[in-house]
Amino acid sequence: MSEEANPFESLQSQIDEAATYLDIGDDVIERLKHPERVLETNLTIERDDGDLERFKAFRSQFNGDRGPYKGGIRYHPQVSRDEVKALSGWMTYKTAIVDIPLGGGKGGIVINPDDYSEAELERLTRSFAKELRPMIGEDRDVPAPDVNTGQREMNWIKDTYETLENTTEPGVITGKALDSGGSEGRVEATGRSTVLAAREAFDYLDKDLEGATVAVQGYGNAGWIAAKLIDRMGATVVAASDSSGGIYNPDGFDPVGAKQHKNETGSVVGYSESEEEITNDEVLTLDVDLLIPAALENAVDEDLAKDVKADVISEAANGPLTPAADDVLEGKDVFVIPDILANAGGVTVSYFEWVQNRQRFSWSEERVNDELETVIVDAFDALVEAYEENDLENPRTAAYVVAIQRVADAFEEAGSWP
Ligand code: GLU
């Protein structure tokens, strides 16, 4: 096993790689490789038994040249300052490649939420919202869900912010429940863009999605929705996994049934339509047409990449391939649709939610999904244009070429400020 890649260094090397194709000064590129600011805070809350416990938390505001900082908040034991910095950078280039008027941010709390009660998580979330209050706002920084957070946490943050500010400002956060100002289509949006991007890639490569085999690593919100939607497009989901292990059936299985099994038992493992139990690494190295990594960073490193047999990878997770893995896959002609485009549906529908909040008007699910499709198809076309124009081997570099140029243009057009 090679040493775990530092996600912040991965981000910086992705930027450096793209910068070689751009006519942008080194001084500007240097600026685009670092966050503008990072909040590091310690939250102390009361446990249900009366004891106090301290948690470390972060919020990185990477870049606001194109609009308010935007990005989720994750609850995970692996959260670190560098991870949050990297994720906030990826958000910057994600909002740029899909061309929505937002910047990039990300936050996190170092915690395994499974070990805490709902009341404890509410106290912790409200405590974080209190710390974040001076730096967030619908025109400043707009958080959203990420790993292990969802509507419940977003509703608490909105309520804490609005109570302390004595106002109603639903656009301060996205990913809320519908009755709290959420948008139709938001929950499905990340999985939806992952498969829309895959559909575009198959079309570009002249490959048939009908009957294509698919493996999905990670069966949380992004992974299982992607599995459900790709199945509806006529592909065959043959493997899926979660942190407890993987399932495999060469003839395919019903992805919705696998989710129901996970809801009932806590894992996809043991699902009746599975033929064989396999490991997470085996899911990632199956001989399939499409691989969807939908868990955490660094799922595929250099060693594992040598065994990857998929033709196309659509990254539902953020940063699932290390830069060294990217190099190996480029050498094997695997077409990798980068995270900043593939999973951008989440932030795109967050943007639609924010627009609806500001308009005090709700869109239908059909309108949300139609507009999302337009955004993803346009972004894919921009990627392909840069890919062909620069004669690139790597679609990720093409996405960064487009995205970095857009952020640099906004920065340079704004002029200088002492
Ligand atoms: N956490 C999601 C992401 O990584 C969504 C961010 C958002 O909606 O702002 O893209």
Side-chain angles (χ1 to χ4, degrees):
M1 183 85 189
S2 53
E3 203 179 298
E4 180 98 327
N6 174 323
F8 187 56
E9 287 169 13
S10 300
L11 165 81
Q12 295 192 320
S13 83
Q14 289 159 350
I15 296 171
D16 283 336
E17 169 76 18
T20 61
Y21 299 93
L22 286 163
D23 186 21
I24 298 174
D26 290 348
D27 49 349
V28 175
I29 292 293
E30 182 61 18
R31 177 174 184 277
L32 299 182
K33 283 166 65 177
H34 295 273
E36 290 176 18
R37 65 191 66 79
V38 183
L39 168 79
E40 177 174 336
T41 177
N42 289 289
L43 309 169
T44 302
I45 60 141
E46 195 176 310
R47 298 290 308 263
D48 291 340
D49 64 6
D51 284 353
L52 298 180
E53 188 169 340
R54 177 190 63 88
F55 299 86
K56 197 168 271 304
F58 305 93
R59 179 79 183 166
S60 169
Q61 295 181 330
F62 196 92
N63 185 285
D65 292 334
R66 301 180 72 260
Y69 308 100
K70 185 85 192 82
I73 293 175
R74 65 172 53 181
Y75 290 1
H76 198 275
Q78 268 173 37
V79 165
S80 69
R81 195 181 177 93
D82 271 1
E83 185 198 46
V84 167
K85 279 160 63 178
L87 289 160
S88 67
W90 285 325
M91 286 309 304
T92 301
Y93 299 107
K94 190 182 300 188
T95 53
I97 181 70
V98 292
D99 208 7
I100 55 178
L102 298 167
K106 190 73 109 193
I109 305 182
V110 186
I111 182 177
N112 180 357
D114 292 344
D115 297 342
Y116 297 85
S117 71
E118 177 160 349
E120 290 168 337
L121 291 174
E122 179 170 356
R123 287 197 286 280
L124 183 65
T125 305
R126 288 189 187 278
S127 163
F128 195 27
K130 186 167 75 61
E131 281 299 313
L132 290 173
R133 179 170 71 117
M135 65 196 286
I136 62 173
E138 63 181 9
D139 289 317
R140 248 181 239 131
D141 182 352
V142 183
D146 199 83
V147 174
N148 291 330
T149 59
Q151 294 181 340
R152 184 181 67 173
E153 289 75 16
M154 301 306 112
N155 300 342
W156 288 334
I157 295 174
K158 167 181 172 274
D159 180 66
T160 309
Y161 182 86
E162 290 184 332
T163 303
L164 295 173
E165 292 284 326
N166 190 26
T167 189
T168 53
E169 196 181 310
V172 66
I173 194 149
T174 59
K176 304 176 293 290
L178 275 185
D179 288 325
S180 294
S183 175
E184 295 286 355
R186 176 63 185 82
V187 172
E188 296 214 325
T190 307
R192 186 172 292 277
S193 65
T194 304
V195 304
L196 285 171
R199 184 194 71 190
E200 293 305 294
F202 271 60
D203 197 40
Y204 176 65
L205 299 168
D206 251 337
K207 284 174 63 72
D208 215 352
L209 195 57
E210 183 78 38
T213 51
V214 184
V216 182
Q217 179 247 358
Y219 222 62
N221 184 47
W224 102 262
I225 299 282
K228 178 181 86 169
L229 296 178
I230 204 99
D231 175 72
R232 284 197 195 150
M233 285 177 175
T236 306
V237 180
V238 296
S241 66
D242 55 35
S243 50
S244 307
I247 55 173
Y248 177 56
N249 183 339
D251 298 323
F253 54 80
D254 172 21
V256 179
K259 170 66 174 163
Q260 277 158 0
H261 181 81
K262 183 172 167 67
N263 286 349
E264 283 156 21
T265 66
S267 171
V268 292
V269 176
Y271 176 42
S272 59
E273 289 190 21
S274 163
E275 288 268 296
E276 206 183 310
E277 267 186 37
I278 58 176
T279 65
N280 251 286
D281 281 1
E282 283 168 334
V283 170
L284 292 163
T285 51
L286 275 176
D287 189 1
V288 286
D289 298 303
L290 173 65
L291 171 65
I292 300 180
L296 292 172
E297 300 93 73
N298 298 338
V300 181
D301 63 11
E302 185 177 8
D303 285 346
L304 201 67
K306 292 177 188 150
D307 296 328
V308 166
K309 293 172 207 73
D311 299 329
V312 178
I313 298 179
S314 191
E315 297 183 324
N318 290 308
L321 313 184
T322 66
D326 256 345
D327 289 343
V328 173
L329 295 171
E330 183 184 309
K332 295 178 14 165
D333 270 343
V334 181
F335 192 91
V336 178
I337 312 162
D339 47 5
I340 60 170
L341 195 162
N343 73 33
V347 73
T348 301
V349 177
S350 274
Y351 165 58
F352 297 158
E353 180 176 333
W354 179 80
V355 169
Q356 293 169 74
N357 290 156
R358 310 197 73 163
Q359 293 177 331
R360 308 272 167 178
F361 182 79
S362 297
W363 300 0
S364 67
E365 187 175 358
E366 195 186 355
R367 175 169 176 192
V368 168
N369 289 345
D370 284 353
E371 300 226 14
L372 171 60
E373 182 164 355
T374 306
V375 167
I376 297 301
V377 170
D378 286 354
F380 190 84
D381 289 348
L383 177 152
V384 165
E385 203 181 305
Y387 186 63
E388 293 183 348
E389 243 176 41
N390 297 285
D391 203 14
L392 300 172
E393 297 291 325
N394 187 335
R396 188 187 313 282
T397 303
Y400 276 95
V401 163
V402 177
I404 292 171
Q405 187 68 59
R406 287 179 179 159
V407 179
D409 285 348
F411 170 66
E412 294 196 12
E413 283 161 14
S416 53
W417 186 255

